[in-house]
Amino acid sequence: MKNKFLLLGIALVSLTACKTASVPQLVNVKTQKNISINNELKNDEEFVKFIEPYKQKLDKEMNQKISHTNVDLTKQGDNSNLGNLLADYTFEGGNEWIKTHLKQNVDAALINIGGIRTTIGKGDILLKNVFEVMPFENEVVIVKMKGADLQGLFEYYAKTQVNNPVSHLYIETKNGQVTKALINGNTVDPAKDYYIATSDYLALGGDNMKFFAKGESIATGIKMRDLFIDYFKKSPEVVVNSDVRLNFIGK
């Protein structure tokens, strides 16, 4: 009986709610004509005129020369010249920061090849070229890791055999196994703390680099693109390094 009264009460409340609810209003919907985006679509002349000064200023800035290269800078291959170059810039920028702020030294650097979006052709390097190469807002992060935990980094390369660029690292693999792993030409000391410069994307496990989770991430606040621009400006003529850092035997 109590259940019946409870159900009746709920029903009455529901009916009351329905009576007091606002009545839906009918809205007249007019079908609009679709506008096709093609060459026949005319520019809004007033808008074009308004943005023209800003466009000219931006074009002037983006087309400024910041460096020069005598060879094409590409991302192809396990030790691409552009990949090695940007990994070295990451190492140098991270090392400069950590020396100033923590009185330490960066031991190595690692970036992902997928973050390098295009190549830079032989000739003058313009500011816009760096924005095309690195369109993302990634930041430099330094990960402090025990030597024993770096085995995960080396095994990652052995398993994936992906040409993610490195600096001050030598990784040799064969048949999916690590055969040689060096930092600055030395074998890894399991008990030692190592500082690896990378991007915030990778430090958080991007590209399945879960091994970084065992370390301590130290934010620098430095945009990778800004860092690359600064180092290109410091080098009127880019010196590329195509030395072997990743050696996937039998790949």
Side-chain angles (χ1 to χ4, degrees):
M1 182 65 71
K2 289 183 179 180
N3 289 338
K4 290 182 179 179
F5 283 120
L6 178 61
L7 291 172
L8 179 62
I10 293 173
L12 289 172
V13 171
S14 300
L15 289 172
T16 304
C18 291
K19 290 179 181 179
T20 57
S22 59
V23 180
Q25 300 295 317
L26 295 177
V27 179
N28 291 326
V29 179
K30 295 182 179 180
T31 303
Q32 300 296 325
K33 181 181 178 181
N34 290 329
I35 300 176
S36 178
I37 306 298
N38 54 42
N39 293 333
E40 296 179 0
L41 186 63
K42 295 182 180 180
N43 290 327
D44 185 325
E45 297 300 333
E46 289 188 9
F47 180 72
V48 171
K49 185 178 180 180
F50 175 78
I51 68 170
E52 185 60 27
Y54 303 99
K55 182 179 182 300
Q56 290 180 359
K57 182 179 179 181
L58 181 62
D59 288 344
K60 182 179 180 180
E61 183 176 358
M62 285 293 149
N63 287 313
Q64 65 173 297
K65 174 184 174 182
I66 59 173
S67 190
H68 185 273
T69 174
N70 284 322
V71 297
D72 291 335
L73 301 177
T74 71
K75 54 182 284 187
Q76 283 71 41
D78 292 333
N79 299 279
S80 65
N81 55 10
L82 182 56
N84 283 1
L85 180 68
L86 297 184
D88 287 344
Y89 285 171
T90 303
F91 175 90
E92 292 169 21
N95 196 41
E96 186 177 339
W97 185 91
I98 202 171
K99 278 184 175 180
T100 301
H101 294 83
L102 299 178
K103 310 301 180 186
Q104 296 288 344
N105 293 293
V106 163
D107 296 287
L110 186 166
I111 61 177
N112 62 316
I113 197 67
I116 304 173
R117 304 307 290 180
T118 188
T119 60
I120 299 177
K122 177 181 177 180
D124 289 343
I125 299 174
L126 308 181
L127 181 61
K128 68 179 181 181
N129 296 141
V130 186
F131 275 81
E132 292 165 352
V133 166
M134 181 62 62
F136 310 110
E137 294 298 311
N138 293 124
E139 296 187 0
V140 177
V141 168
I142 298 170
V143 184
K144 179 182 177 182
M145 300 184 72
K146 282 290 184 186
D149 293 329
L150 284 176
Q151 186 62 27
L153 185 159
F154 303 131
E155 290 176 352
Y156 171 88
Y157 276 89
K159 181 180 178 180
T160 64
Q161 297 196 22
V162 175
N163 60 331
N164 290 316
V166 297
S167 179
H168 293 251
L169 277 169
Y170 176 77
I171 304 171
E172 181 180 289
T173 70
K174 187 175 183 180
N175 299 325
Q177 300 295 320
V178 180
T179 54
K180 197 172 186 179
L182 304 174
I183 295 184
N184 282 319
N186 301 312
T187 55
V188 177
D189 180 350
K192 180 182 175 182
D193 288 330
Y194 290 89
Y195 294 85
I196 313 297
T198 186
S199 69
D200 54 348
Y201 169 70
L202 297 182
L204 290 171
D207 278 10
N208 208 32
M209 294 193 185
K210 298 177 181 179
F211 53 84
F212 276 130
K214 293 186 176 181
E216 174 191 350
S217 292
I218 304 167
T220 67
I222 302 171
K223 298 288 186 188
M224 296 192 76
R225 184 176 55 236
D226 293 342
L227 176 66
F228 297 158
I229 290 171
D230 287 343
Y231 275 92
F232 274 120
K233 287 181 177 180
K234 290 178 182 179
S235 306
E237 190 67 49
V238 170
V239 177
V240 296
N241 294 308
S242 298
D243 54 307
V244 176
R245 305 173 183 190
L246 300 174
N247 187 11
F248 303 127
I249 299 172
K251 179 179 177 181

